[in-house]
Amino acid sequence: MTGIEELLRPELRGRSPYGAPQLDVEVQLNTNESSYPVPDEVVAAVLAELERDLGGLNRYPDREFAELRSALGTYLAKQSGIHPREESIWAGNGSNEVLQHLVLAFGGSGRTALGFTPAYSMHPILTETLGMRWVDGQRDATTFDLAVDSAVTQAKGVDPHLVFLCSPNNPTGSALPFDVIEAMLVAAPRALVVVDEAYAEFARPGTRSALELVADHPRLVVTRTMSKAFTLAGGRLGYLVADPAVVDALRLVRLPYHLSTPTQTIARVALEHADALLGTVEAIKTQRDRLVGELSAMGLAPVPSDANFVLFGGLADAASTFQGLLDRGVLVRDVGIPHHLRVTAGTPEETSRFLTAMAELVPTHAARKETP
Ligand SMILES: *Cc1c(COP(=O)(O)O)cnc(C)c1O
């Protein structure tokens, strides 16, 4: 006993850090990264720009990352049809940092945050470690859907200061009905409503983005990332779109010059090559839909997905199936939902490796069906 535990802020005592295992396994389908490397032409373009930057590293980076913001705006206009003003865009080292900026500015001790779980585990971690009270809102226990009525009743009961909606939702995969987002703005009248759209680019056709609502709703924030569809998890660039007054508030809490010059350059050049980087999105969606189809044909219970992963149920014991897959060289994610595992859609070959391993395991690992 070092006594350090007693020095720690009370809300941190006894906690364990966030972290998916980073194991050296042949087929890594556990963190929803892209399996595809950054294309050579993009690597070459980034290198050329970085070379120009490096001699200037004696100076601090552009604190307002103006060129990057402009590139983000151009990309969003193309991807979603909505072109936010540059004053409405903010960025950080991953959307996790952007989410932390939001909690620093709009959360804090004595305040309450609401999310509907199972959802992204960083939402409660970010809020609770900064002293907020976290309320675990509920979804339907079998489909993981969130109905408008239920969301509204729960939000009214809590009257939160911050609401996290994750759409498409990690770890369950489905996007939220658009009216849940609209209803939340009414049901939680003093809350900043954050819609985490980390997987927006993978959504099935017809899925509406909360970006549509930002211009008319100053309490609505949409966060996105380059970590998933852009195949740039190592680049650490996330961003948000919100009312300019929200963005102004984030300037109070960000560290000075939080986006390094190389980070800004890598992200900006990547955005200029958006078509090349997003070229694998359709291939990944095909593997995702294949996962849903084949897992269901095996008698398991995959959840419909708008993301680059699939949550599936129907297992007798998730931990032993996780180990069975690992023994076969396939790493997936045990997200702590009983009888379920989450698998990222990889290349066709990786997806086949996973499905072959699952087919071997199913006879002994599937939950017994109740016989009537
Ligand atoms: C992966 C993920 C993120 C991305 O985090 P970054 O910090 O941008 O890498 C954000 N939200 C959700 C729901 C995610 O699954």
Side-chain angles (χ1 to χ4, degrees):
M1 191 63 193
T2 58
I4 294 299
E5 183 86 1
E6 281 108 82
L7 305 184
L8 205 54
R9 283 167 38 215
E11 56 269 36
L12 298 183
R13 287 180 199 155
R15 288 185 165 269
S16 38
Y18 170 92
Q22 289 191 309
L23 302 178
D24 190 12
V25 174
E26 262 183 76
V27 181
Q28 296 178 14
L29 301 175
N30 67 327
T31 52
N32 302 340
E33 295 156 335
S34 174
S35 288
Y36 294 94
V38 175
D40 291 344
E41 65 191 276
V42 184
V43 170
V46 169
L47 271 178
E49 295 267 331
L50 274 181
E51 187 154 30
R52 229 169 296 165
D53 284 347
L54 294 180
L57 288 188
N58 55 313
R59 300 292 178 192
Y60 282 114
D62 172 12
R63 192 170 47 212
E64 290 297 321
F65 45 99
E67 289 183 31
L68 173 57
R69 274 170 198 252
S70 154
L72 286 166
T74 305
Y75 165 66
L76 285 174
K78 223 175 137 199
Q79 196 269 336
S80 71
I82 290 147
H83 198 154
R85 293 187 289 154
E86 278 167 37
E87 312 89 87
S88 287
I89 298 175
W90 185 250
N93 295 283
S95 53
N96 275 296
E97 185 178 55
V98 157
L99 291 167
Q100 188 179 53
H101 287 166
L102 290 166
V103 181
L104 281 166
F106 296 97
S109 63
R111 293 185 159 203
T112 304
L114 170 67
F116 298 89
T117 59
Y120 188 41
S121 60
M122 281 307 296
H123 298 156
I125 292 174
L126 285 166
T127 49
E128 290 184 323
T129 56
L130 288 168
M132 289 190 93
R133 182 170 79 100
W134 170 264
V135 176
D136 245 341
Q138 301 300 306
R139 295 168 169 265
D140 183 283
T142 47
T143 63
F144 304 111
D145 287 338
L146 179 61
V148 180
D149 295 0
S150 164
V152 165
T153 309
Q154 295 185 66
K156 284 185 174 162
V158 175
D159 195 16
H161 301 85
L162 259 180
V163 175
F164 290 91
L165 299 173
C166 193
S167 181
N169 187 45
N170 178 13
T172 61
S174 314
L176 281 175
F178 197 70
D179 47 3
V180 168
I181 298 162
E182 289 178 303
M184 194 54 56
L185 289 159
V186 181
R190 65 172 177 177
L192 192 76
V193 177
V194 180
V195 185
D196 184 335
E197 291 192 355
Y199 300 95
E201 288 90 347
F202 297 104
R204 286 170 291 181
T207 307
R208 289 170 72 185
S209 165
L211 284 174
E212 283 181 40
L213 297 169
V214 171
D216 294 328
H217 295 277
R219 289 186 292 110
L220 181 67
V221 180
V222 180
T223 66
R224 292 208 176 179
T225 181
M226 297 183 74
S227 294
K228 308 287 161 58
F230 265 92
T231 86
L232 213 63
R236 308 306 300 129
L237 201 288
Y239 55 99
L240 63 71
V241 180
D243 190 273
V246 171
V247 171
D248 262 341
L250 304 181
R251 291 191 171 87
L252 300 171
V253 297
R254 62 98 176 272
L255 296 174
Y257 316 107
H258 67 293
L259 286 175
S260 77
T261 300
T263 298
Q264 293 187 39
T265 297
I266 292 166
R268 177 176 55 75
V269 178
L271 287 159
E272 286 164 6
H273 291 78
D275 288 344
L277 283 166
L278 296 170
T280 52
V281 165
E282 287 307 316
I284 292 166
K285 286 166 70 178
T286 300
Q287 296 310 307
R288 168 198 71 199
D289 295 341
R290 176 183 169 212
L291 284 168
V292 172
E294 297 199 19
L295 287 169
S296 161
M298 288 178 203
L300 297 169
V303 179
S305 176
D306 290 291
N308 65 345
F309 60 84
V310 174
L311 181 77
F312 61 99
L315 302 170
D317 175 41
S320 80
T321 307
F322 174 89
Q323 189 57 46
L325 289 166
L326 195 55
D327 295 342
R328 288 162 179 76
V330 181
L331 179 62
V332 298
R333 188 76 167 269
D334 184 347
V335 290
I337 305 174
H339 312 294
H340 289 71
L341 290 172
R342 192 193 72 188
V343 60
T344 306
T347 61
E349 296 71 31
E350 289 172 327
T351 306
S352 296
R353 282 279 303 267
F354 163 75
L355 287 168
T356 303
M358 264 325 291
E360 283 173 28
L361 292 166
V362 154
T364 49
H365 286 245
R368 291 259 164 76
K369 294 254 162 42
E370 312 247 325
T371 36

